[in-house]
Amino acid sequence: MSKQQREQFILDSLRESAETKQKIARELVPQISKAIEAIVTALKDKKKILLCGNGGSAADAQHLATECVIRLSPTIKRPGIPAIALTTDTSNLTAGANDLGYDNVFARSVEALGNQGDVLIGISTSGNSQSVNRALAKARAMKMVTIAFLGKGGGAAKGLVDLPLIVPSNDTQRIQEGHITMGHIIFQEVEQEM
């Protein structure tokens, strides 16, 4: 690849990322606001947030849970917000995959750690991850609040949740960038309201 081609690729990627975020701004602001309201309501009722996803979405779950527990904005002094990434306990994940099948690892953790009124945020670029979707179904059966960060039209997950936040893109990278942007917006506002 020539220098010119490489620089054009960089410019195209930045443009695509910006365009995806503009689409989010046009299409998802009311849903993002509802997610903030649902999370704040749950936290004021002394509930907690669980998050799950696979691959890059697992990293996003861990990232956002940490923003809650530690803090997002260094200028805001607040107590920790109870959030658990179901993606970080390797003993639990590997035992669950071995004994129950990988598709059930997050659902089992939801069953063990979730309570009515808690919030489960499932993150999946396709919306068709069985491990995430089974967790969302389990959470819904337990009367938890269910939110999903999705893309590619939402897949099967959009019908399993109270609030689907579907990034209007079919490109995995752009979807993941949209997920972390929405997550930062949501949890910065949650932080301010708490």
Short mmCIF file of all heavy atoms in Angstrom, two decimals, residues 81-155:
data_model
loop_
_atom_site.label_atom_id
_atom_site.label_comp_id
_atom_site.label_asym_id
_atom_site.label_seq_id
_atom_site.Cartn_x
_atom_site.Cartn_y
_atom_site.Cartn_z
N ILE A 81 -20.52 2.91 41.73
CA ILE A 81 -21.80 2.41 41.22
C ILE A 81 -21.65 0.90 41.04
O ILE A 81 -20.70 0.45 40.40
CB ILE A 81 -22.15 3.11 39.88
CG1 ILE A 81 -22.42 4.61 40.14
CG2 ILE A 81 -23.33 2.45 39.21
CD1 ILE A 81 -22.56 5.44 38.88
N PRO A 82 -22.57 0.10 41.58
CA PRO A 82 -22.42 -1.36 41.52
C PRO A 82 -22.63 -1.91 40.11
O PRO A 82 -23.74 -1.89 39.58
CB PRO A 82 -23.48 -1.87 42.49
CG PRO A 82 -24.52 -0.79 42.53
CD PRO A 82 -23.78 0.50 42.31
N ALA A 83 -21.54 -2.38 39.52
CA ALA A 83 -21.58 -2.94 38.17
C ALA A 83 -20.60 -4.10 38.09
O ALA A 83 -19.48 -4.01 38.62
CB ALA A 83 -21.23 -1.87 37.14
N ILE A 84 -21.02 -5.16 37.44
CA ILE A 84 -20.19 -6.37 37.31
C ILE A 84 -20.14 -6.79 35.86
O ILE A 84 -21.19 -7.02 35.24
CB ILE A 84 -20.78 -7.53 38.15
CG1 ILE A 84 -20.92 -7.14 39.62
CG2 ILE A 84 -19.92 -8.78 37.99
CD1 ILE A 84 -21.77 -8.11 40.44
N ALA A 85 -18.92 -6.92 35.32
CA ALA A 85 -18.75 -7.50 33.99
C ALA A 85 -18.70 -9.01 34.15
O ALA A 85 -17.83 -9.54 34.84
CB ALA A 85 -17.47 -6.98 33.34
N LEU A 86 -19.63 -9.71 33.56
CA LEU A 86 -19.70 -11.17 33.66
C LEU A 86 -18.64 -11.85 32.80
O LEU A 86 -18.60 -13.08 32.74
CB LEU A 86 -21.09 -11.66 33.25
CG LEU A 86 -22.26 -11.06 34.04
CD1 LEU A 86 -23.58 -11.61 33.51
CD2 LEU A 86 -22.12 -11.33 35.53
N THR A 87 -17.78 -11.07 32.21
CA THR A 87 -16.79 -11.56 31.25
C THR A 87 -15.40 -11.71 31.84
O THR A 87 -14.47 -12.09 31.13
CB THR A 87 -16.70 -10.56 30.09
OG1 THR A 87 -16.37 -9.27 30.62
CG2 THR A 87 -18.00 -10.47 29.34
N THR A 88 -15.22 -11.41 33.12
CA THR A 88 -13.86 -11.26 33.64
C THR A 88 -13.38 -12.40 34.54
O THR A 88 -12.21 -12.43 34.89
CB THR A 88 -13.75 -9.94 34.44
OG1 THR A 88 -14.70 -9.96 35.51
CG2 THR A 88 -14.01 -8.75 33.55
N ASP A 89 -14.24 -13.30 34.94
CA ASP A 89 -13.85 -14.38 35.85
C ASP A 89 -13.53 -15.63 35.03
O ASP A 89 -14.43 -16.39 34.64
CB ASP A 89 -14.98 -14.65 36.84
CG ASP A 89 -14.65 -15.69 37.89
OD1 ASP A 89 -13.73 -16.50 37.67
OD2 ASP A 89 -15.32 -15.70 38.93
N THR A 90 -12.26 -15.86 34.76
CA THR A 90 -11.88 -16.97 33.88
C THR A 90 -12.24 -18.33 34.46
O THR A 90 -12.59 -19.25 33.72
CB THR A 90 -10.38 -16.93 33.55
OG1 THR A 90 -9.62 -16.90 34.75
CG2 THR A 90 -10.05 -15.72 32.70
N SER A 91 -12.17 -18.49 35.77
CA SER A 91 -12.55 -19.77 36.37
C SER A 91 -14.03 -20.05 36.13
O SER A 91 -14.42 -21.16 35.76
CB SER A 91 -12.24 -19.78 37.87
OG SER A 91 -10.86 -19.69 38.08
N ASN A 92 -14.85 -19.02 36.34
CA ASN A 92 -16.29 -19.17 36.12
C ASN A 92 -16.59 -19.44 34.65
O ASN A 92 -17.39 -20.33 34.33
CB ASN A 92 -17.01 -17.91 36.60
CG ASN A 92 -18.51 -18.01 36.51
OD1 ASN A 92 -19.10 -18.97 37.00
ND2 ASN A 92 -19.12 -17.04 35.87
N LEU A 93 -15.97 -18.67 33.76
CA LEU A 93 -16.23 -18.84 32.33
C LEU A 93 -15.80 -20.21 31.83
O LEU A 93 -16.54 -20.87 31.08
CB LEU A 93 -15.51 -17.75 31.53
CG LEU A 93 -16.06 -16.33 31.69
CD1 LEU A 93 -15.12 -15.34 31.01
CD2 LEU A 93 -17.45 -16.21 31.12
N THR A 94 -14.63 -20.67 32.23
CA THR A 94 -14.15 -21.95 31.72
C THR A 94 -14.89 -23.12 32.35
O THR A 94 -15.17 -24.10 31.66
CB THR A 94 -12.63 -22.09 31.93
OG1 THR A 94 -12.30 -21.90 33.31
CG2 THR A 94 -11.88 -21.06 31.08
N ALA A 95 -15.24 -23.02 33.63
CA ALA A 95 -16.04 -24.09 34.24
C ALA A 95 -17.43 -24.15 33.61
O ALA A 95 -17.94 -25.22 33.31
CB ALA A 95 -16.15 -23.88 35.75
N GLY A 96 -18.03 -22.98 33.40
CA GLY A 96 -19.34 -22.94 32.77
C GLY A 96 -19.32 -23.48 31.36
O GLY A 96 -20.20 -24.26 30.96
N ALA A 97 -18.31 -23.10 30.60
CA ALA A 97 -18.19 -23.60 29.23
C ALA A 97 -18.01 -25.11 29.22
O ALA A 97 -18.62 -25.82 28.41
CB ALA A 97 -17.03 -22.92 28.52
N ASN A 98 -17.20 -25.61 30.12
CA ASN A 98 -16.92 -27.04 30.20
C ASN A 98 -18.14 -27.84 30.68
O ASN A 98 -18.48 -28.87 30.11
CB ASN A 98 -15.74 -27.30 31.13
CG ASN A 98 -15.28 -28.73 31.11
OD1 ASN A 98 -14.84 -29.23 30.08
ND2 ASN A 98 -15.40 -29.41 32.24
N ASP A 99 -18.79 -27.34 31.73
CA ASP A 99 -19.86 -28.11 32.37
C ASP A 99 -21.25 -27.85 31.80
O ASP A 99 -22.09 -28.75 31.82
CB ASP A 99 -19.89 -27.80 33.87
CG ASP A 99 -18.62 -28.24 34.59
OD1 ASP A 99 -17.76 -28.91 33.98
OD2 ASP A 99 -18.47 -27.88 35.78
N LEU A 100 -21.49 -26.62 31.33
CA LEU A 100 -22.83 -26.25 30.89
C LEU A 100 -22.91 -25.91 29.40
O LEU A 100 -23.99 -25.73 28.88
CB LEU A 100 -23.33 -25.03 31.68
CG LEU A 100 -23.32 -25.15 33.21
CD1 LEU A 100 -23.66 -23.81 33.84
CD2 LEU A 100 -24.28 -26.23 33.66
N GLY A 101 -21.76 -25.78 28.75
CA GLY A 101 -21.71 -25.32 27.36
C GLY A 101 -21.57 -23.82 27.33
O GLY A 101 -22.19 -23.10 28.11
N TYR A 102 -20.72 -23.33 26.41
CA TYR A 102 -20.42 -21.90 26.39
C TYR A 102 -21.67 -21.04 26.23
O TYR A 102 -21.75 -19.95 26.80
CB TYR A 102 -19.40 -21.56 25.30
CG TYR A 102 -18.98 -20.11 25.41
CD1 TYR A 102 -18.06 -19.71 26.37
CD2 TYR A 102 -19.56 -19.13 24.60
CE1 TYR A 102 -17.72 -18.38 26.52
CE2 TYR A 102 -19.22 -17.80 24.74
CZ TYR A 102 -18.30 -17.43 25.71
OH TYR A 102 -17.98 -16.10 25.87
N ASP A 103 -22.64 -21.50 25.49
CA ASP A 103 -23.84 -20.69 25.27
C ASP A 103 -24.57 -20.34 26.56
O ASP A 103 -25.39 -19.43 26.59
CB ASP A 103 -24.81 -21.40 24.32
CG ASP A 103 -24.33 -21.43 22.88
OD1 ASP A 103 -23.35 -20.71 22.56
OD2 ASP A 103 -24.92 -22.16 22.07
N ASN A 104 -24.28 -21.06 27.64
CA ASN A 104 -24.98 -20.85 28.91
C ASN A 104 -24.17 -20.11 29.96
O ASN A 104 -24.66 -19.88 31.07
CB ASN A 104 -25.39 -22.21 29.48
CG ASN A 104 -26.36 -22.90 28.55
OD1 ASN A 104 -27.40 -22.36 28.21
ND2 ASN A 104 -26.01 -24.09 28.10
N VAL A 105 -22.93 -19.72 29.67
CA VAL A 105 -22.08 -19.16 30.73
C VAL A 105 -22.62 -17.86 31.31
O VAL A 105 -22.61 -17.69 32.53
CB VAL A 105 -20.60 -18.97 30.29
CG1 VAL A 105 -19.94 -20.30 30.01
CG2 VAL A 105 -20.46 -18.03 29.13
N PHE A 106 -23.12 -16.96 30.49
CA PHE A 106 -23.62 -15.69 31.03
C PHE A 106 -24.98 -15.87 31.68
O PHE A 106 -25.28 -15.24 32.71
CB PHE A 106 -23.67 -14.61 29.95
CG PHE A 106 -22.33 -14.29 29.34
CD1 PHE A 106 -22.21 -14.14 27.96
CD2 PHE A 106 -21.19 -14.15 30.11
CE1 PHE A 106 -20.99 -13.83 27.38
CE2 PHE A 106 -19.95 -13.85 29.54
CZ PHE A 106 -19.86 -13.69 28.17
N ALA A 107 -25.83 -16.72 31.12
CA ALA A 107 -27.14 -16.97 31.72
C ALA A 107 -26.99 -17.53 33.13
O ALA A 107 -27.74 -17.16 34.04
CB ALA A 107 -27.96 -17.92 30.85
N ARG A 108 -26.01 -18.42 33.31
CA ARG A 108 -25.79 -18.99 34.64
C ARG A 108 -25.35 -17.91 35.63
O ARG A 108 -25.80 -17.88 36.78
CB ARG A 108 -24.74 -20.09 34.56
CG ARG A 108 -24.49 -20.80 35.85
CD ARG A 108 -25.74 -21.52 36.36
NE ARG A 108 -25.36 -22.56 37.29
CZ ARG A 108 -26.05 -23.65 37.51
NH1 ARG A 108 -27.19 -23.86 36.87
NH2 ARG A 108 -25.63 -24.54 38.38
N SER A 109 -24.49 -17.01 35.19
CA SER A 109 -24.06 -15.92 36.07
C SER A 109 -25.21 -14.96 36.37
O SER A 109 -25.32 -14.47 37.50
CB SER A 109 -22.89 -15.17 35.44
OG SER A 109 -21.74 -15.98 35.42
N VAL A 110 -26.06 -14.71 35.39
CA VAL A 110 -27.24 -13.88 35.64
C VAL A 110 -28.12 -14.56 36.68
O VAL A 110 -28.61 -13.91 37.62
CB VAL A 110 -28.02 -13.63 34.33
CG1 VAL A 110 -29.41 -13.04 34.61
CG2 VAL A 110 -27.23 -12.70 33.41
N GLU A 111 -28.32 -15.84 36.53
CA GLU A 111 -29.13 -16.60 37.49
C GLU A 111 -28.56 -16.51 38.90
O GLU A 111 -29.28 -16.34 39.88
CB GLU A 111 -29.19 -18.06 37.05
CG GLU A 111 -29.99 -18.97 37.95
CD GLU A 111 -29.98 -20.39 37.43
OE1 GLU A 111 -28.87 -20.99 37.35
OE2 GLU A 111 -31.06 -20.89 37.10
N ALA A 112 -27.23 -16.59 39.01
CA ALA A 112 -26.58 -16.58 40.32
C ALA A 112 -26.48 -15.19 40.93
O ALA A 112 -26.61 -15.04 42.14
CB ALA A 112 -25.18 -17.18 40.20
N LEU A 113 -26.25 -14.17 40.11
CA LEU A 113 -25.95 -12.84 40.63
C LEU A 113 -27.07 -11.81 40.46
O LEU A 113 -27.06 -10.79 41.14
CB LEU A 113 -24.69 -12.29 39.94
CG LEU A 113 -23.42 -13.12 40.10
CD1 LEU A 113 -22.31 -12.59 39.21
CD2 LEU A 113 -22.98 -13.15 41.56
N GLY A 114 -27.99 -12.07 39.55
CA GLY A 114 -29.03 -11.10 39.25
C GLY A 114 -30.22 -11.20 40.17
O GLY A 114 -30.51 -12.26 40.73
N ASN A 115 -30.89 -10.08 40.32
CA ASN A 115 -32.12 -10.01 41.10
C ASN A 115 -33.15 -9.17 40.35
O ASN A 115 -32.78 -8.34 39.51
CB ASN A 115 -31.86 -9.36 42.47
CG ASN A 115 -30.97 -10.20 43.34
OD1 ASN A 115 -31.33 -11.31 43.71
ND2 ASN A 115 -29.79 -9.68 43.66
N GLN A 116 -34.39 -9.37 40.67
CA GLN A 116 -35.45 -8.57 40.05
C GLN A 116 -35.12 -7.09 40.21
O GLN A 116 -34.73 -6.64 41.28
CB GLN A 116 -36.79 -8.88 40.72
CG GLN A 116 -37.95 -8.14 40.10
CD GLN A 116 -39.29 -8.57 40.68
OE1 GLN A 116 -39.42 -9.66 41.20
NE2 GLN A 116 -40.27 -7.69 40.61
N GLY A 117 -35.25 -6.35 39.11
CA GLY A 117 -34.99 -4.91 39.14
C GLY A 117 -33.56 -4.53 38.79
O GLY A 117 -33.29 -3.37 38.51
N ASP A 118 -32.63 -5.49 38.84
CA ASP A 118 -31.27 -5.22 38.37
C ASP A 118 -31.30 -4.96 36.86
O ASP A 118 -32.30 -5.26 36.19
CB ASP A 118 -30.35 -6.42 38.63
CG ASP A 118 -29.95 -6.58 40.09
OD1 ASP A 118 -30.14 -5.63 40.89
OD2 ASP A 118 -29.43 -7.66 40.44
N VAL A 119 -30.21 -4.45 36.32
CA VAL A 119 -30.10 -4.16 34.90
C VAL A 119 -29.07 -5.11 34.28
O VAL A 119 -27.97 -5.24 34.81
CB VAL A 119 -29.65 -2.70 34.66
CG1 VAL A 119 -29.47 -2.43 33.16
CG2 VAL A 119 -30.64 -1.72 35.27
N LEU A 120 -29.42 -5.76 33.19
CA LEU A 120 -28.45 -6.50 32.39
C LEU A 120 -28.26 -5.77 31.07
O LEU A 120 -29.23 -5.52 30.36
CB LEU A 120 -28.90 -7.94 32.11
CG LEU A 120 -27.96 -8.71 31.16
CD1 LEU A 120 -26.58 -8.91 31.79
CD2 LEU A 120 -28.55 -10.03 30.74
N ILE A 121 -27.00 -5.44 30.77
CA ILE A 121 -26.66 -4.87 29.47
C ILE A 121 -25.91 -5.94 28.69
O ILE A 121 -24.82 -6.35 29.08
CB ILE A 121 -25.79 -3.61 29.63
CG1 ILE A 121 -26.56 -2.54 30.42
CG2 ILE A 121 -25.37 -3.09 28.26
CD1 ILE A 121 -25.76 -1.30 30.74
N GLY A 122 -26.52 -6.42 27.61
CA GLY A 122 -25.87 -7.36 26.71
C GLY A 122 -25.30 -6.60 25.53
O GLY A 122 -25.97 -5.71 24.98
N ILE A 123 -24.08 -6.94 25.15
CA ILE A 123 -23.41 -6.24 24.05
C ILE A 123 -23.07 -7.26 22.96
O ILE A 123 -22.39 -8.25 23.23
CB ILE A 123 -22.13 -5.54 24.55
CG1 ILE A 123 -22.44 -4.64 25.75
CG2 ILE A 123 -21.50 -4.74 23.41
CD1 ILE A 123 -21.21 -4.03 26.41
N SER A 124 -23.59 -7.02 21.76
CA SER A 124 -23.35 -7.94 20.64
C SER A 124 -23.45 -7.17 19.34
O SER A 124 -24.48 -6.55 19.07
CB SER A 124 -24.39 -9.07 20.67
OG SER A 124 -24.33 -9.86 19.50
N THR A 125 -22.41 -7.21 18.53
CA THR A 125 -22.45 -6.46 17.27
C THR A 125 -23.51 -7.02 16.32
O THR A 125 -24.11 -6.28 15.56
CB THR A 125 -21.08 -6.44 16.58
OG1 THR A 125 -20.65 -7.76 16.34
CG2 THR A 125 -20.06 -5.68 17.41
N SER A 126 -23.75 -8.33 16.38
CA SER A 126 -24.72 -8.95 15.46
C SER A 126 -26.10 -9.12 16.08
O SER A 126 -27.09 -9.23 15.37
CB SER A 126 -24.22 -10.33 15.03
OG SER A 126 -24.27 -11.23 16.13
N GLY A 127 -26.16 -9.20 17.40
CA GLY A 127 -27.41 -9.51 18.08
C GLY A 127 -27.75 -10.98 18.04
O GLY A 127 -28.82 -11.39 18.47
N ASN A 128 -26.83 -11.81 17.56
CA ASN A 128 -27.10 -13.24 17.42
C ASN A 128 -26.17 -14.13 18.25
O ASN A 128 -26.09 -15.33 18.00
CB ASN A 128 -27.02 -13.64 15.94
CG ASN A 128 -28.16 -13.02 15.16
OD1 ASN A 128 -29.31 -13.00 15.61
ND2 ASN A 128 -27.85 -12.49 14.00
N SER A 129 -25.51 -13.55 19.22
CA SER A 129 -24.64 -14.32 20.10
C SER A 129 -25.49 -15.12 21.09
O SER A 129 -26.21 -14.54 21.91
CB SER A 129 -23.70 -13.39 20.87
OG SER A 129 -23.08 -14.09 21.91
N GLN A 130 -25.43 -16.43 21.01
CA GLN A 130 -26.26 -17.27 21.88
C GLN A 130 -25.95 -17.05 23.36
O GLN A 130 -26.86 -17.04 24.19
CB GLN A 130 -26.10 -18.75 21.53
CG GLN A 130 -26.85 -19.14 20.27
CD GLN A 130 -28.34 -18.87 20.40
OE1 GLN A 130 -29.00 -19.31 21.34
NE2 GLN A 130 -28.88 -18.13 19.45
N SER A 131 -24.69 -16.88 23.70
CA SER A 131 -24.35 -16.69 25.12
C SER A 131 -24.97 -15.40 25.66
O SER A 131 -25.47 -15.37 26.79
CB SER A 131 -22.83 -16.70 25.33
OG SER A 131 -22.21 -15.67 24.59
N VAL A 132 -24.95 -14.35 24.87
CA VAL A 132 -25.55 -13.08 25.30
C VAL A 132 -27.08 -13.19 25.28
O VAL A 132 -27.75 -12.77 26.23
CB VAL A 132 -25.06 -11.92 24.39
CG1 VAL A 132 -25.82 -10.63 24.70
CG2 VAL A 132 -23.56 -11.73 24.56
N ASN A 133 -27.64 -13.77 24.23
CA ASN A 133 -29.09 -13.85 24.12
C ASN A 133 -29.71 -14.72 25.20
O ASN A 133 -30.80 -14.41 25.71
CB ASN A 133 -29.49 -14.32 22.73
CG ASN A 133 -29.22 -13.25 21.68
OD1 ASN A 133 -28.84 -12.13 22.00
ND2 ASN A 133 -29.40 -13.60 20.42
N ARG A 134 -29.05 -15.79 25.56
CA ARG A 134 -29.58 -16.62 26.66
C ARG A 134 -29.53 -15.87 27.98
O ARG A 134 -30.42 -16.01 28.82
CB ARG A 134 -28.83 -17.94 26.74
CG ARG A 134 -29.19 -18.86 25.58
CD ARG A 134 -28.55 -20.21 25.71
NE ARG A 134 -28.83 -21.01 24.51
CZ ARG A 134 -28.52 -22.27 24.38
NH1 ARG A 134 -27.92 -22.94 25.37
NH2 ARG A 134 -28.80 -22.92 23.27
N ALA A 135 -28.50 -15.07 28.17
CA ALA A 135 -28.42 -14.25 29.38
C ALA A 135 -29.55 -13.22 29.40
O ALA A 135 -30.19 -13.00 30.44
CB ALA A 135 -27.07 -13.55 29.47
N LEU A 136 -29.82 -12.60 28.25
CA LEU A 136 -30.91 -11.62 28.17
C LEU A 136 -32.26 -12.28 28.45
O LEU A 136 -33.10 -11.73 29.17
CB LEU A 136 -30.91 -10.95 26.80
CG LEU A 136 -29.72 -10.02 26.52
CD1 LEU A 136 -29.65 -9.67 25.04
CD2 LEU A 136 -29.79 -8.76 27.38
N ALA A 137 -32.47 -13.46 27.90
CA ALA A 137 -33.73 -14.18 28.14
C ALA A 137 -33.86 -14.55 29.61
O ALA A 137 -34.95 -14.44 30.20
CB ALA A 137 -33.79 -15.43 27.26
N LYS A 138 -32.78 -15.01 30.23
CA LYS A 138 -32.81 -15.36 31.66
C LYS A 138 -33.12 -14.11 32.50
O LYS A 138 -33.93 -14.15 33.41
CB LYS A 138 -31.47 -15.97 32.07
CG LYS A 138 -31.31 -16.23 33.56
CD LYS A 138 -32.34 -17.20 34.12
CE LYS A 138 -32.02 -18.61 33.75
NZ LYS A 138 -32.96 -19.56 34.40
N ALA A 139 -32.48 -13.00 32.16
CA ALA A 139 -32.71 -11.76 32.90
C ALA A 139 -34.16 -11.30 32.78
O ALA A 139 -34.77 -10.88 33.76
CB ALA A 139 -31.76 -10.67 32.40
N ARG A 140 -34.69 -11.41 31.60
CA ARG A 140 -36.09 -11.00 31.40
C ARG A 140 -37.03 -11.89 32.21
O ARG A 140 -37.97 -11.41 32.84
CB ARG A 140 -36.44 -11.06 29.92
CG ARG A 140 -37.83 -10.51 29.63
CD ARG A 140 -38.07 -10.42 28.16
NE ARG A 140 -38.12 -9.02 27.78
CZ ARG A 140 -38.48 -8.59 26.60
NH1 ARG A 140 -38.77 -9.45 25.64
NH2 ARG A 140 -38.54 -7.32 26.33
N ALA A 141 -36.74 -13.20 32.24
CA ALA A 141 -37.56 -14.13 33.04
C ALA A 141 -37.47 -13.80 34.53
O ALA A 141 -38.41 -14.05 35.28
CB ALA A 141 -37.12 -15.57 32.78
N MET A 142 -36.34 -13.24 34.94
CA MET A 142 -36.14 -12.87 36.35
C MET A 142 -36.64 -11.45 36.65
O MET A 142 -36.43 -10.93 37.73
CB MET A 142 -34.65 -12.98 36.70
CG MET A 142 -34.12 -14.40 36.65
SD MET A 142 -32.32 -14.48 36.85
CE MET A 142 -32.12 -13.82 38.51
N LYS A 143 -37.29 -10.83 35.67
CA LYS A 143 -37.83 -9.48 35.81
C LYS A 143 -36.74 -8.43 36.06
O LYS A 143 -36.93 -7.48 36.83
CB LYS A 143 -38.92 -9.42 36.88
CG LYS A 143 -40.14 -10.26 36.53
CD LYS A 143 -41.22 -10.13 37.57
CE LYS A 143 -42.52 -10.80 37.19
NZ LYS A 143 -42.50 -12.01 36.47
N MET A 144 -35.62 -8.63 35.40
CA MET A 144 -34.58 -7.62 35.38
C MET A 144 -34.84 -6.67 34.22
O MET A 144 -35.58 -7.00 33.29
CB MET A 144 -33.19 -8.27 35.22
CG MET A 144 -32.78 -9.12 36.40
SD MET A 144 -31.26 -10.10 36.10
CE MET A 144 -30.06 -8.81 35.78
N VAL A 145 -34.26 -5.48 34.26
CA VAL A 145 -34.32 -4.54 33.15
C VAL A 145 -33.27 -5.00 32.13
O VAL A 145 -32.13 -5.26 32.49
CB VAL A 145 -33.99 -3.11 33.61
CG1 VAL A 145 -33.97 -2.16 32.44
CG2 VAL A 145 -34.99 -2.65 34.68
N THR A 146 -33.66 -5.14 30.87
CA THR A 146 -32.74 -5.63 29.85
C THR A 146 -32.50 -4.57 28.78
O THR A 146 -33.44 -4.03 28.20
CB THR A 146 -33.26 -6.93 29.20
OG1 THR A 146 -34.60 -6.72 28.73
CG2 THR A 146 -33.24 -8.09 30.20
N ILE A 147 -31.22 -4.30 28.56
CA ILE A 147 -30.77 -3.34 27.56
C ILE A 147 -29.74 -4.06 26.70
O ILE A 147 -28.92 -4.82 27.22
CB ILE A 147 -30.14 -2.10 28.22
CG1 ILE A 147 -31.16 -1.38 29.12
CG2 ILE A 147 -29.57 -1.15 27.16
CD1 ILE A 147 -30.55 -0.28 29.98
N ALA A 148 -29.77 -3.84 25.38
CA ALA A 148 -28.76 -4.45 24.51
C ALA A 148 -28.16 -3.40 23.60
O ALA A 148 -28.87 -2.61 22.99
CB ALA A 148 -29.37 -5.58 23.69
N PHE A 149 -26.83 -3.41 23.54
CA PHE A 149 -26.08 -2.62 22.56
C PHE A 149 -25.86 -3.55 21.37
O PHE A 149 -25.17 -4.56 21.49
CB PHE A 149 -24.72 -2.20 23.12
CG PHE A 149 -24.74 -1.14 24.19
CD1 PHE A 149 -25.88 -0.83 24.91
CD2 PHE A 149 -23.57 -0.47 24.50
CE1 PHE A 149 -25.88 0.14 25.89
CE2 PHE A 149 -23.54 0.50 25.48
CZ PHE A 149 -24.69 0.82 26.18
N LEU A 150 -26.45 -3.19 20.23
CA LEU A 150 -26.46 -4.08 19.08
C LEU A 150 -26.02 -3.36 17.81
O LEU A 150 -25.73 -2.16 17.83
CB LEU A 150 -27.88 -4.64 18.88
CG LEU A 150 -28.51 -5.33 20.10
CD1 LEU A 150 -30.00 -5.56 19.89
CD2 LEU A 150 -27.78 -6.61 20.40
N GLY A 151 -25.98 -4.08 16.71
CA GLY A 151 -25.71 -3.55 15.39
C GLY A 151 -26.32 -4.48 14.37
O GLY A 151 -27.05 -5.41 14.72
N LYS A 152 -26.04 -4.24 13.09
CA LYS A 152 -26.49 -5.13 12.01
C LYS A 152 -27.98 -5.44 12.07
O LYS A 152 -28.42 -6.56 11.87
CB LYS A 152 -25.66 -6.42 12.01
CG LYS A 152 -24.18 -6.16 11.80
CD LYS A 152 -23.35 -7.42 11.79
CE LYS A 152 -21.86 -7.05 11.66
NZ LYS A 152 -20.98 -8.19 11.69
N GLY A 153 -28.78 -4.44 12.42
CA GLY A 153 -30.23 -4.62 12.47
C GLY A 153 -30.74 -5.18 13.78
O GLY A 153 -31.95 -5.26 13.99
N GLY A 154 -29.88 -5.58 14.68
CA GLY A 154 -30.30 -6.04 16.00
C GLY A 154 -30.36 -7.53 16.19
O GLY A 154 -30.35 -8.01 17.32
N GLY A 155 -30.46 -8.28 15.10
CA GLY A 155 -30.51 -9.74 15.21
C GLY A 155 -31.61 -10.22 16.14
O GLY A 155 -32.60 -9.53 16.39
#
